[in-house]
Amino acid sequence: MANQLQPVRGTRDLTGEDAARHFHVVETARRVARLYGFSEWQTPIFEDTRVFSRTLGETSDVVTKEMYTFEDRGGDSLTLRPEGTAGVCRALITGGLTQTLPQKVFYAGPMFRYERPQKGRYRQFHQIGVELLGPASPLADAEVISLGWRILNELGIAKDVELHINTLGDAQSRANYRDALVAYFSSHAEKLSEDSKLRLEKNPLRILDSKDDGDKALVEKAPVIYAHLTEEAATFYNGLKSTLTAFGVPFVEDPRIVRGLDYYNHTAFEFVTNALGAQGTVMAGGRYDGLVEQMGGPNVPGIGWGAGIERLSMLIAAPPVMAQPVAVIPMSAEFEGQALEILNLLRNGNIAAETGYSGNAKKRLERANKSGAGFAVLVGAEIKLKNLADGSQEDVTAEMLVKRLGA
Ligand code: ATP
Ligand code: MG
């Protein structure tokens, strides 16, 4: 069929078990976020391009290569959101919510990046995420990480992931570290990728996050930040580690974690797995104390993470199949009306029920059996409740049904 339309490269349909996995991840995360006192927000899927271009960093992969940016019919430059944090901070400012801190935000929804599609990497993908805006203490960082850890536990995949934490320090620490990195990478400049030569001038820290194999080999031996931390930054980092331990969250320190976006300071972390090949990061985040101010708001510190739902969905066991609705089947045309009444009665009583729409009773019963329904109500001169698992049947009245089928 030459003119059959195809889904756009890098996009996926969520149907059947894929959908069940996806929504199981979202519902689990939503429930756990509530447990920690987070409320769900939804911000627009497209924003003024500057919401991202001004904040994510002009040398970040996302801004240089991955954004879906277009001009709309009114001539405005819009961008499909590549991540969740910038939009949440924009909403915090434009909604005047900086007056009522802390704000504890959970979100779930689609993100868009122009990347080479492969397993665990799509152009429309989906994230769950949280942002904790207001508090500047490492307790907030530890709580946000602990929330992520609990979600991974409840999804049954904590055993497959490892938490890597690092600090990016404060501005002074990073300036010190930057000098050390420039000295190191300048002495190996000829071996750097073209992208990283540019990064060396604009933002040398970004080289640590390079995916280029040649760069990676150099990064192995690059200096680490710890010796360059100010006393304040070191105290913050120690506070994070001791609070994580108090929360019972296991971690390893990993000086290579810098995160791909420019707005991070102090805490940076990733939950990584070996089970997904190259796409090993399932949940990632950090502290972004300057971001809200940089966007034109007051000075509001923040900490958060985002996690790829597709990657989490691949790691979890198939969620239990939902019980199928009770099948309400008229034994012949003259009982259609009564069957509809019973259908209503069951639904009013909070019992999932459906009817077969067409076909004779035998056909409908076959379909009900195939669908995996547990029960059928056969509506004729008598009403019978049929257990489809063992084939047994009992006489009932319409009035008895809700009680009989209720949990
Ligand atoms: P990666 O290094 O894999 O490109 P990233 O650093 O670009 O990840 P973040 O911006 O931190 O990713 O996004 C947080 C999470 O969102 C990632 O850890 C991953 O689980 C998921 N994610 C990011 N990009 C994609 C994508 N294109 N397809 C599917 N999931 C993605
Ligand atoms: Mg990426």
Side-chain angles (χ1 to χ4, degrees):
M1 274 195 279
N3 58 1
Q4 188 182 323
L5 296 173
Q6 298 297 325
V8 172
R9 188 166 141 81
T11 68
R12 296 163 74 234
D13 297 307
L14 282 179
T15 61
E17 190 184 313
D18 290 337
R21 286 171 178 269
H22 186 103
F23 294 115
H24 180 66
V25 170
V26 175
E27 278 156 24
T28 302
R30 184 174 278 142
R31 176 168 53 76
V32 177
R34 224 177 275 137
L35 205 59
Y36 280 67
F38 284 65
S39 313
E40 186 159 357
W41 286 16
Q42 210 167 68
T43 63
I45 282 172
F46 53 82
E47 296 268 359
D48 183 320
T49 296
R50 290 168 295 185
V51 169
F52 308 110
S53 63
R54 281 191 186 168
T55 55
L56 306 190
E58 56 173 345
T59 53
S60 68
D61 277 357
V62 170
V63 170
T64 53
K65 306 177 200 150
E66 298 174 358
M67 291 209 306
Y68 274 94
T69 297
F70 60 98
E71 198 174 286
D72 76 358
R73 288 166 192 270
D76 294 323
S77 178
L78 305 179
T79 294
L80 301 185
R81 64 182 188 194
E83 56 95 56
T85 305
V88 166
C89 290
R90 200 271 308 134
L92 179 88
I93 299 167
T94 49
L97 298 167
T98 54
Q99 301 299 315
T100 42
L101 299 173
Q103 291 286 341
K104 301 166 79 176
V105 182
F106 168 79
Y107 63 81
M111 307 292 164
F112 304 84
R113 296 183 192 180
Y114 193 80
E115 301 200 68
R116 194 169 65 79
Q118 51 196 296
K119 183 182 165 200
R121 192 176 293 285
Y122 309 97
R123 291 180 173 173
Q124 174 171 339
F125 63 102
H126 299 78
Q127 284 185 345
I128 48 169
V130 299
E131 315 293 350
L132 174 44
L133 293 146
S137 91
L139 170 60
D141 306 47
E143 193 173 48
V144 158
I145 294 173
S146 154
L147 163 52
W149 173 241
R150 188 178 291 255
I151 291 170
L152 298 172
N153 267 287
E154 302 232 349
L155 289 171
I157 56 183
K159 61 185 184 318
D160 303 315
V161 301
E162 195 170 71
L163 168 61
H164 290 212
I165 65 164
N166 188 28
T167 178
L168 306 174
D170 47 20
Q172 183 60 51
S173 314
R174 255 196 324 286
N176 301 343
Y177 184 42
R178 185 191 156 103
D179 292 343
L181 284 180
V182 170
Y184 170 78
F185 284 118
S186 298
S187 67
H188 299 283
E190 76 288 353
K191 288 185 236 150
L192 284 173
S193 69
E194 287 310 310
D195 279 347
S196 285
K197 280 182 187 142
L198 199 68
R199 293 177 182 127
L200 183 56
E201 282 164 33
K202 292 195 166 166
N203 188 346
L205 221 77
R206 190 80 316 118
I207 301 175
L208 301 182
D209 201 38
S210 172
K211 302 225 163 61
D212 177 89
D213 286 334
D215 290 348
K216 278 186 187 164
L218 287 178
V219 166
E220 287 275 311
K221 300 201 175 67
V224 297
I225 196 171
Y226 303 129
H228 305 278
L229 292 177
T230 61
E231 200 183 321
E232 202 191 334
T235 303
F236 192 100
Y237 187 45
N238 288 331
L240 169 68
K241 289 187 282 185
S242 59
T243 317
L244 278 178
T245 304
F247 269 122
V249 181
F251 62 87
V252 296
E253 290 182 76
D254 181 347
R256 300 294 166 222
I257 297 212
V258 294
R259 309 294 310 118
L261 309 175
D262 271 3
Y263 50 56
Y264 290 108
N265 66 327
H266 286 301
T267 309
F269 64 94
E270 295 185 352
F271 284 93
V272 299
T273 179
N274 290 322
L276 294 178
Q279 273 52 257
T281 307
V282 294
M283 181 180 279
R287 176 163 280 283
Y288 48 86
D289 291 343
L291 181 60
V292 174
E293 200 166 10
Q294 195 184 325
M295 295 181 84
N299 176 13
V300 178
I303 166 88
W305 51 254
I309 299 176
E310 285 79 3
R311 294 186 195 176
L312 294 171
S313 295
M314 285 191 278
L315 289 174
I316 63 175
V321 177
M322 296 257 291
Q324 290 304 306
V326 173
V328 179
I329 301 175
M331 296 314 287
S332 64
E334 65 186 292
F335 298 107
E336 292 272 4
Q338 204 186 341
L340 291 187
E341 275 169 31
I342 290 178
L343 199 60
N344 264 336
L345 195 80
L346 289 174
R347 289 171 176 168
N348 288 342
N350 247 337
I351 290 163
E354 61 186 4
T355 185
Y357 306 109
S358 66
N360 63 26
K362 185 161 171 272
K363 277 264 156 55
R364 293 195 197 196
L365 195 58
E366 270 171 24
R367 282 204 302 264
N369 264 311
K370 242 196 191 148
S371 82
F375 289 93
V377 179
L378 310 179
V379 185
E382 283 105 46
I383 303 173
K384 294 187 192 309
L385 179 64
K386 188 176 175 77
N387 180 328
L388 297 178
D390 61 17
S392 65
Q393 230 167 259
E394 61 181 296
D395 288 323
V396 290
T397 62
E399 292 67 39
M400 288 164 66
L401 274 173
V402 168
K403 200 157 175 215
R404 188 62 193 71
L405 290 168

